[in-house]
Amino acid sequence: MSPLVLLTLLPLVLAQQRQDLCTAQLEEIVAASSAGEPWALAVLDSWGRWPSGQFSGNQFDLGAYDQCRRQSIFSDSVGRIEGRYCLVVVPRQLNSTAGRFFVDMQGIDGVAVGMCFPKVCSERQLREPALQIVNSSFGIAADHVQVQCEGDLPRPGAARRTAIMVFTLIATLTVFSTIYDLASRYFKPKPVELWTTFSLRRNWNQLIQVRPSTGNSELIECIHGIRVLAIGWIILGHSYMMILSAPVINPFDTFDWRSSFHSALITTGPNSVDTFFVLSGLLTCWGLLKELDRNKKLNVPLLYLHRYLRLTPVFAALILFTVGFYQRIGDGPLWSETYQFTSGNCKQYWWSALLYVQNYVNPHQVCLGHSWYLSVDMQLFLLSPLIVYPLWRWGPRVLIAVAVLILASMGCLLSVFLVNDLRASVAEASLLRDRLAYLPTHTRMGAWFVGLILGYVLHRIKRKPIQIPTIYATLGWLTSLAIMIACLVGAYGTNHPNSHQNGFLVDALYETGRHVLWACSVAWIIFACTTGYGGPINTLLSATYWQPFGKLSYCLYLLHLPMQVLLTGTQRTVRHFSDLEAIHAFGGDASLTVLASVGWTLLFEVPFANLDGSLRKVVRKKPASRTNEEFTSEERG
């Protein structure tokens, strides 16, 4: 839409409006445009046009957001005129005359065009002018339009003031602790360990410290590589998700992408969460059994306190950051809606997040949507003493009960899918499926119990090297590989555009089996690598260069999605979807997330892990033995 067309249309539209400040400022823009005033022409030039590429599914032209926002001019007659960015949405449900202007959007509701109006105008005041302009300039006959304008930032509230105080306190502690640590090294007195808790020098050294592979039976070295590869897979999958959830010029091409077999590498990405459940169950069982060997009993309250102190400070800091600052660190045509995906529910449900009960209390409104995993993991940890102690006390007989729990979890998931006619396709995800199948602990605990069984087995054989015939070891690797390939093939079949032709039973069986089967495959890899049958795979996964990134894994998991939402929500233009574009986005997402995670780890995770370690030493009156449980609490993802 050219400025000349707008100059013709706006006076006709405004003549029908009741004279108020909004109308007066719109008239001032028209008059200034007629006089060739650059600022007014810039306002009109920032408007979007009717989107091209509709036969590829495009429905957006976002206009020039920053150009609109920059306009601010004072007029003697109407006061200060400031540009306010709005999206004018032309609904899909139009009459038959206008329908010919729309390509079949296959469920897409309409066309959204970015426009610039005076800041004093409300959305209600702009509906009629926007409707008249859209119909006249685009040659359609819409009955109504929706106007979604960027709102003003809320006034600083209690959440922001609290965030400022807490982060200022952490920064102050970090500065003074670092200065004290450096001064102690320079003047050579022995520093007080507690006073160096927040020292950047000390914490950085802990982060980058690597231990050479020694084959120590107290360590499970291959989990470093597994953890990093799993978190990388999660970030890659979410990079695709972010591109597909944002405006793209070729959404119809996603149907061809879903028809390609390599798309299964992305759609099967949720299996990486099951990988973390295996690691969690493994290291929880491993650690508790060693505690029982050492003390013949479990200090359950101390275990729970330790777990809470390991998980919560980092998580709580992120929640506080999202409710206090997140809305203000970004802007853009889509930001006012996009940032809600990460922080929208935290103002109301921060308490259930910190109590790790979100997956049952508010499954439809999860604070930091991906943090549901922490709730499941914490709940399973709370149950772990009830299972691990009987394992230590009565031995393999208890594994029968664990197997029953795995089968019960699978049965719950199968029945949920069949009773509610749920589909396994990621394209058909729904709040109902999340609430009943994806988020509950009782449907996701199968993989965790597989890890627990593995932890028990490794604990039993750690001092008794076993000999596995070559043919059986080879069979184990082939079976593990076959399971992983089957999961990929299943993901392709259930996510194909024609997957609706599958019966509901097919989807239910696939979704029920993939979690536990994938967990068994990962468990074999860990078992083989730990017992000396991993070969080059163990060499790769146990390499020392994984260790620093493994220590970052918790912060990588927590921070990656807020970072991706920020990058997506602040985009100014419509993107093009392709595998190359998604991989390029993944590179940027991962790099920025690593940088943010280093800072978050140094400021929050390492210091509070050190405080937790000091507390445990005081309670136990002796230092704990060094195991896989690094400061990052490696049983987590």
Side-chain angles (χ1 to χ4, degrees):
M1 188 188 333
S2 69
L4 292 177
V5 174
L6 291 173
L7 290 177
T8 304
L9 294 174
L10 279 174
L12 300 176
V13 174
L14 296 176
Q16 305 173 19
Q17 302 297 305
R18 179 176 59 85
Q19 187 67 25
D20 53 23
L21 184 57
C22 172
T23 304
Q25 290 199 358
L26 286 170
E27 290 177 342
E28 182 70 16
I29 293 175
V30 173
S33 300
S34 301
E37 293 287 341
W39 70 268
L41 293 176
V43 169
L44 302 183
D45 180 61
S46 67
W47 288 33
R49 278 61 172 168
W50 191 255
S52 59
Q54 287 192 66
F55 281 88
S56 297
N58 182 33
Q59 67 181 73
F60 288 91
D61 191 316
L62 299 178
Y65 173 85
D66 295 295
Q67 181 173 308
C68 171
R69 292 281 306 277
R70 280 197 300 266
Q71 306 312 312
S72 178
I73 191 72
F74 183 81
S75 169
D76 293 334
S77 58
V78 296
R80 180 163 295 280
I81 302 175
E82 295 180 279
R84 184 189 190 193
Y85 181 86
C86 301
L87 273 179
V88 177
V89 181
V90 184
R92 176 71 176 84
Q93 295 77 17
L94 300 177
N95 59 39
S96 58
T97 303
R100 69 178 187 273
F101 293 99
F102 284 83
V103 180
D104 182 7
M105 294 294 178
Q106 298 191 9
I108 298 176
D109 290 334
V111 168
V113 178
M115 295 186 180
C116 189
F117 295 108
K119 192 173 183 179
V120 298
C121 297
S122 67
E123 293 178 354
R124 181 184 58 81
Q125 290 174 308
L126 292 173
R127 286 173 191 159
E128 187 60 30
L131 175 63
Q132 297 293 336
I133 293 170
V134 164
N135 284 340
S136 301
S137 60
F138 296 150
I140 62 175
D143 297 325
H144 66 281
V145 295
Q146 301 169 7
V147 181
Q148 303 171 3
C149 293
E150 187 177 46
D152 295 328
L153 290 173
R155 294 175 60 85
R160 191 179 181 205
R161 290 192 293 270
T162 302
I164 291 174
M165 289 189 294
V166 170
F167 283 97
T168 300
L169 174 62
I170 295 296
T172 303
L173 289 173
T174 301
V175 170
F176 280 99
S177 184
T178 303
I179 293 174
Y180 171 78
D181 188 20
L182 294 174
S184 298
R185 287 178 57 83
Y186 181 78
F187 294 107
K188 302 301 182 181
K190 183 178 180 181
V192 179
E193 184 175 306
L194 183 62
W195 292 6
T196 62
T197 297
F198 287 84
S199 168
L200 292 178
R201 188 203 67 83
R202 175 190 175 187
N203 297 341
W204 172 256
N205 288 338
Q206 286 184 254
L207 175 62
I208 64 174
Q209 180 185 10
V210 297
R211 287 176 292 162
S213 179
T214 61
N216 188 343
S217 62
E218 294 295 314
L219 302 174
I220 306 174
E221 295 171 338
C222 64
I223 64 173
H224 297 296
I226 293 175
R227 181 183 296 107
V228 176
L229 293 176
I231 191 63
W233 196 7
I234 289 175
I235 297 175
L236 176 62
H238 284 161
S239 294
Y240 273 84
M241 183 186 77
M242 287 292 105
I243 290 180
L244 292 173
S245 63
V248 292
I249 200 170
N250 59 329
F252 288 173
D253 289 350
T254 61
F255 293 99
D256 294 333
W257 177 77
R258 288 172 57 196
S259 300
S260 64
F261 185 77
H262 71 269
S263 67
L265 295 172
I266 305 303
T267 56
T268 197
N271 287 340
S272 57
V273 178
D274 294 310
T275 301
F276 280 120
F277 279 131
V278 172
L279 296 180
S280 176
L282 160 64
L283 291 170
T284 297
C285 182
W286 177 271
L288 294 183
L289 287 174
K290 288 197 296 183
E291 180 77 10
L292 287 166
D293 287 344
R294 183 167 53 244
N295 299 321
K296 310 304 179 185
K297 63 180 180 179
L298 293 175
N299 187 336
V300 175
L302 182 62
L303 286 173
Y304 290 167
L305 177 62
H306 162 65
R307 181 70 168 192
Y308 192 83
L309 291 178
R310 282 295 184 91
L311 288 176
T312 306
V314 182
F315 186 33
L318 181 58
I319 292 175
L320 189 59
F321 181 84
T322 59
V323 298
F325 303 122
Y326 193 71
Q327 183 181 0
R328 295 175 177 270
I329 64 175
D331 59 22
L334 311 171
W335 180 244
S336 59
E337 296 295 329
T338 306
Y339 87 90
Q340 298 283 352
F341 178 79
T342 295
S343 61
N345 299 318
C346 290
K347 292 181 180 179
Q348 181 178 359
Y349 288 110
W350 59 268
W351 60 271
S352 62
L354 297 181
L355 291 177
Y356 301 99
V357 293
Q358 290 193 96
N359 57 328
Y360 287 110
V361 173
N362 50 293
H364 291 168
Q365 297 173 292
V366 176
C367 167
L368 296 168
H370 59 308
S371 67
W372 67 269
Y373 168 84
L374 300 181
S375 296
V376 176
D377 190 55
M378 175 64 83
Q379 291 161 22
L380 290 170
F381 183 84
L382 295 178
L383 293 174
S384 62
L386 300 177
I387 301 169
V388 176
Y389 181 81
L391 268 176
W392 177 79
R393 182 70 174 81
W394 292 294
R397 289 173 293 178
V398 180
L399 293 179
I400 298 175
V402 176
V404 170
L405 290 174
I406 294 174
L407 293 176
S409 176
M410 296 175 68
C412 286
L413 189 57
L414 178 65
S415 62
V416 163
F417 263 74
L418 291 178
V419 169
N420 296 280
D421 291 338
L422 299 179
R423 289 294 189 180
S425 171
V426 295
E428 297 188 44
S430 64
L431 293 176
L432 179 65
R433 193 178 81 179
D434 286 347
R435 178 172 63 86
L436 297 179
Y438 195 74
L439 304 184
T441 301
H442 60 272
T443 59
R444 300 306 302 267
M445 64 184 184
W448 190 88
F449 280 120
V450 170
L452 184 140
I453 294 174
L454 175 63
Y456 176 75
V457 171
L458 293 180
H459 179 266
R460 287 287 297 265
I461 67 174
K462 66 179 181 179
R463 294 185 179 90
K464 301 176 182 178
I466 62 172
Q467 297 294 325
I468 302 177
T470 302
I471 187 172
Y472 291 139
T474 303
L475 182 61
W477 278 107
L478 291 176
T479 303
S480 176
L481 179 62
I483 289 174
M484 290 185 167
I485 293 175
C487 288
L488 289 175
V489 173
Y492 172 74
T494 55
N495 288 279
H496 193 278
N498 296 325
S499 61
H500 62 276
Q501 297 176 0
N502 299 335
F504 288 104
L505 180 60
V506 173
D507 281 29
L509 290 175
Y510 169 74
E511 190 68 17
T512 299
R514 73 175 177 91
H515 298 291
V516 172
L517 290 176
W518 183 271
C520 291
S521 181
V522 173
W524 165 259
I525 293 174
I526 297 173
F527 175 81
C529 290
T530 305
T531 55
Y533 295 92
I537 294 179
N538 179 54
T539 302
L540 172 65
L541 296 177
S542 301
T544 56
Y545 51 73
W546 297 116
Q547 293 182 28
F549 294 101
K551 295 173 185 178
L552 290 174
S553 60
Y554 183 36
C555 286
L556 285 172
Y557 182 77
L558 285 180
L559 296 180
H560 81 276
L561 198 55
M563 179 66 71
Q564 290 174 318
V565 170
L566 173 65
L567 296 174
T568 300
T570 55
Q571 74 179 61
R572 265 51 173 175
T573 58
V574 178
R575 302 174 72 174
H576 179 270
F577 170 75
S578 68
D579 287 302
L580 188 61
E581 179 74 16
I583 293 172
H584 179 261
F586 164 71
D589 295 346
S591 300
L592 291 174
T593 303
V594 167
L595 292 176
S597 297
V598 169
W600 216 258
T601 300
L602 296 179
L603 291 175
F604 297 102
E605 185 170 8
V606 184
F608 284 97
N610 289 336
L611 289 175
D612 173 62
S614 299
L615 174 63
R616 297 178 77 190
K617 289 179 182 179
V618 170
V619 173
R620 290 177 172 175
K621 304 299 183 182
K622 62 179 180 179
S625 61
R626 190 72 167 177
T627 68
N628 274 88
E629 193 172 347
E630 299 283 355
F631 71 81
T632 49
S633 188
E634 292 183 345
E635 65 270 15
R636 299 186 313 273

